[in-house]
Amino acid sequence: MIIVKNILKRTYFSNRGKMGKNILNEDFDFYEKYFSMKKNIYLVVIFLSTLFTACNEQQLPGVSPYSPEKELISFKFLKANNPILDKDYSASINGQDVSIEIPKGTNLKDLIPTFEISDKATLKVNTKIVSNGKDSADFSGSSVALNVIAQNETINKYFLSILLTGVTANLNINSTTSYTSYLNNRLYIVLSLAMAITPQNKAYNSHSYDARAYGDFDKDGDLDMVAAFTNSSTNTSSDVEFYKNNGFNLMKDQTVFTGGAPKLISGAKAITGDFDENGWLDVVISSTGFNGGSYPGESVILLLNTNGKFTSKTLSIPTGYYGSVCAGDIDNDGDLDLFVTDNKSISKFLINDGKANFTYDNSLYPSTFYNKSFFTSELYDINKDGYLDLVLGGFEQDNASTIILWGNGTGSYMTSKMTTLPKVKGKAVVVDIDFIDFDKDGKTDLLITRKSDGNTPEGYYLQLLKNTGTDFTDVSSTSFTINSDEHDTDWIKWIRIQDIDNDGDLDITTDDRFYNKVWINNKAKFSLL
């Protein structure tokens, strides 16, 4: 009873002023005598209920019933809500200043924020109300306001600063690629390697030297050739060979190799580039090794050129089934990096320090693609955003779909930024990848060279994929008079895209005249000569 009495006293005196005589208009002792009587205890309950209901229904004069809280507690962009991101990004909050780092190349006009604000408050990004983790907003402006609006409609304004980090776009990035270097050399039109090999004691066929690179290696104004013999059926190595162009005659000259020519069992692909930035054209050769037993694999070698003489260097990576190598400035830092496919293990990005010292960076390549059967690749900026895209192909029947991994400001290649290209039934082996704007619409289309997935004869199949801007559509059947030969016992390794007839559009031909196939482009329609 004493406790109840004290409560009532405090309530009475604290509320007397604002409640007046409507409720408490009698002497407090009147209620006290009733509290001593057990039979009237229920009156206390009724009184308390009436008293506190009255207190709750009335507010202090001049005080709003709505919360004034309007604090921004945290702000993030989560990968789960923004698939274009490579990871979660969190902002730092310092007073009214909010700062966050986002990779260069990210589309800031359509990001979904995740945030924590005061209870019952609302967030506006500039003038748009957004729900936590659900609504997108435009963060691309030079000044982005984060307005936290309290329940009582007062506003706390925060200012968001976005720092773009990572790789800077280079709209001329395609000039760095080994693919562009390959297309710029037209030696194959005049000469066939078979002309130089015939006097040798090696039977020549179209796949005797799959690894070949053209370039003016001695700076005498014409194109020479470096080639590695391809014969994976034996476990015997052969010298890498140099052919000097002497008045449109290729003459073998092994004196260009300092310390002797390096040896490879089965050269797969050769590319060119100035990897040590000394002004002379170098060569990188990937190889697969013996195609039998436990597939022991082979190495990737670098031929560093100084004054027309080559010094051989084996890259510091484990042996592997390196079916392809391509080059370009992957991290946009001014030097040429490498990518090698390993059909039996992990394909690798090798980052150049500018002096032809390469370091394997496993953070750039999706781990879900480890042990995928990719053995052909090219780097090229397909969508012209200033970042090199990686196109991969191989054995589609082994769950290695032909894909594009889109380059971006993070410098990493992610499955969330990936396009899977259409397959061709019965032609599931991708052997070459080329880029061509065949219809002159300003978009880069793809030409995929395929062969049989195990049936014989292997034949060849050219697949033309039109870039619509949002995807790639197979237009092979409507763009070629003849794009395949099901009965051909051979298959085409390398295709070239060049204006053969000098009429202003791009034609298609094989790398080696041994194949003797040319497709002429006439108003986006290809005819086989």
Side-chain angles (χ1 to χ4, degrees):
M1 289 301 298
I2 293 175
I3 295 174
V4 173
K5 178 180 177 179
N6 289 337
I7 292 174
L8 288 174
K9 279 184 178 182
R10 287 196 299 271
T11 305
Y12 172 78
F13 288 111
S14 64
N15 289 281
R16 182 170 53 185
K18 65 175 181 286
M19 297 177 61
K21 296 180 180 181
N22 291 333
I23 297 178
L24 300 175
N25 54 5
E26 296 187 24
D27 190 86
F28 195 80
D29 290 338
F30 171 79
Y31 296 98
E32 185 176 8
K33 67 181 180 179
Y34 284 98
F35 296 152
S36 63
M37 301 172 61
K38 292 183 178 180
K39 65 180 180 179
N40 292 320
I41 191 65
Y42 70 95
L43 292 175
V44 177
V45 177
I46 295 173
F47 172 76
L48 290 174
S49 176
T50 303
L51 177 64
F52 289 118
T53 299
C55 291
N56 288 334
E57 288 179 352
Q58 299 186 47
Q59 301 294 326
L60 293 174
V63 178
S64 170
Y66 301 108
S67 171
E69 299 298 323
K70 46 186 178 292
E71 181 185 0
L72 178 64
I73 301 170
S74 68
F75 189 87
K76 303 175 181 179
F77 292 119
L78 300 181
K79 176 177 172 58
N81 298 330
N82 301 278
I84 61 173
L85 298 178
D86 62 320
K87 63 179 182 179
D88 297 341
Y89 290 89
S90 300
S92 61
I93 302 174
N94 184 13
Q96 307 306 113
D97 296 324
V98 183
S99 59
I100 191 169
E101 295 184 353
I102 296 292
K104 294 176 181 178
T106 301
N107 180 12
L108 301 178
K109 293 185 176 181
D110 192 29
L111 288 175
I112 298 175
T114 298
F115 51 84
E116 183 182 359
I117 56 178
S118 298
D119 188 33
K120 300 180 181 178
T122 303
L123 180 67
K124 270 188 178 181
V125 177
N126 293 326
T127 59
K128 181 180 180 180
I129 295 177
V130 294
S131 299
N132 182 28
K134 295 181 180 179
D135 298 329
S136 65
D138 186 352
F139 294 90
S140 63
S142 58
S143 177
V144 179
L146 302 179
N147 300 305
V148 182
I149 306 171
Q151 190 183 30
N152 67 358
E153 298 185 356
T154 57
I155 299 175
N156 199 359
K157 182 170 287 190
Y158 295 82
F159 300 94
L160 176 66
S161 298
I162 297 179
L163 177 63
L164 297 176
T165 62
V167 179
T168 301
N170 176 6
L171 297 182
N172 295 315
I173 196 67
N174 278 336
S175 63
T176 72
T177 64
S178 55
Y179 179 80
T180 299
S181 178
Y182 169 73
L183 288 188
N184 286 341
N185 299 325
R186 297 173 57 132
L187 178 64
Y188 74 101
I189 295 176
V190 180
L191 297 174
S192 169
L193 185 55
M195 297 167 60
I197 297 300
T198 300
Q200 313 283 328
N201 292 322
K202 292 179 180 176
Y204 183 82
N205 63 59
S206 56
H207 298 291
S208 292
Y209 288 82
D210 281 341
R212 66 185 79 184
Y214 309 97
D216 187 6
F217 299 108
D218 51 11
K219 293 188 178 183
D220 65 351
D222 54 25
L223 293 176
D224 312 300
M225 184 184 298
V226 173
F229 191 63
T230 304
N231 187 3
S232 60
S233 61
T234 67
N235 201 11
T236 303
S237 61
S238 301
D239 287 345
V240 174
E241 300 168 18
F242 179 83
Y243 291 89
K244 179 179 175 58
N245 190 341
N246 184 16
F248 295 107
N249 290 310
L250 291 177
M251 304 298 295
K252 187 175 180 180
D253 181 5
Q254 296 299 85
T255 64
V256 299
F257 296 106
T258 302
K263 294 179 177 293
L264 291 172
I265 295 172
S266 188
K269 185 179 179 181
I271 61 172
T272 60
D274 184 5
F275 295 98
D276 55 3
E277 300 182 316
N278 69 345
W280 291 82
L281 197 60
D282 309 311
V283 179
V284 178
I285 305 176
S286 67
S287 50
T288 58
F290 178 47
N291 192 11
S294 59
Y295 297 94
E298 206 164 5
S299 57
V300 177
I301 63 170
L302 172 61
L303 302 178
L304 292 173
N305 184 0
T306 302
N307 299 322
K309 299 291 184 179
F310 292 103
T311 301
S312 177
K313 175 181 178 180
T314 300
L315 297 189
S316 298
I317 54 177
T319 58
Y321 196 88
Y322 297 117
S324 176
V325 59
C326 54
D329 190 0
I330 295 167
D331 50 8
N332 292 27
D333 67 348
D335 54 32
L336 298 180
D337 310 299
L338 296 172
F339 177 81
V340 293
T341 59
D342 187 344
N343 184 30
K344 303 299 179 182
S345 184
I346 302 172
S347 299
K348 299 173 177 63
F349 281 104
L350 305 172
I351 303 304
N352 190 354
D353 67 353
K355 299 179 180 179
N357 299 308
F358 293 91
T359 302
Y360 168 40
D361 188 340
N362 64 357
S363 68
L364 305 184
Y365 186 67
S367 59
T368 52
F369 288 161
Y370 291 179
N371 302 310
K372 290 283 187 178
S373 297
F374 295 124
F375 57 78
T376 189
S377 61
E378 290 293 353
L379 285 163
Y380 201 78
D381 183 10
I382 299 171
N383 56 2
K384 302 177 183 179
D385 65 351
Y387 302 101
L388 289 179
D389 310 309
L390 177 65
V391 188
L392 290 169
F395 288 114
E396 289 180 343
Q397 70 268 35
D398 292 343
N399 297 318
S401 297
T402 306
I403 59 171
I404 303 172
L405 290 172
W406 297 100
N408 59 88
T410 68
S412 298
Y413 292 81
M414 301 164 283
T415 54
S416 60
K417 295 177 181 292
M418 181 180 75
T419 296
T420 301
L421 299 176
K423 296 182 179 182
V424 176
K425 185 178 181 180
K427 299 294 181 182
V429 179
V430 174
V431 293
D432 193 18
I433 299 162
D434 287 273
F435 309 98
I436 177 174
D437 181 7
F438 77 99
D439 52 4
K440 297 183 179 180
D441 65 352
K443 301 183 184 69
T444 302
D445 310 302
L446 272 68
L447 181 69
I448 309 296
T449 307
R450 296 172 173 270
K451 71 182 186 72
S452 169
D453 47 6
N455 298 321
T456 55
E458 293 180 300
Y460 69 86
Y461 187 98
L462 300 185
Q463 180 189 26
L464 185 60
L465 300 175
K466 177 177 172 55
N467 185 350
T468 67
T470 57
D471 59 13
F472 291 85
T473 302
D474 194 326
V475 294
S476 308
S477 60
T478 58
S479 299
F480 286 95
T481 55
I482 298 174
N483 70 314
S484 65
D485 188 342
E486 300 295 334
H487 305 291
D488 196 335
T489 58
D490 201 2
W491 50 275
I492 298 171
K493 178 62 175 179
W494 304 122
I495 285 288
R496 283 180 176 266
I497 308 296
Q498 287 176 335
D499 185 5
I500 300 298
D501 53 2
N502 297 314
D503 66 349
D505 52 25
L506 293 173
D507 309 303
I508 301 170
T509 186
T510 53
D511 178 80
D512 193 328
R513 287 179 59 202
F514 189 91
Y515 294 106
N516 197 30
K517 288 183 172 62
V518 177
W519 289 264
I520 296 298
N521 185 353
N522 183 17
K523 297 180 180 180
K525 302 289 185 181
F526 292 94
S527 299
L528 178 63
L529 292 184

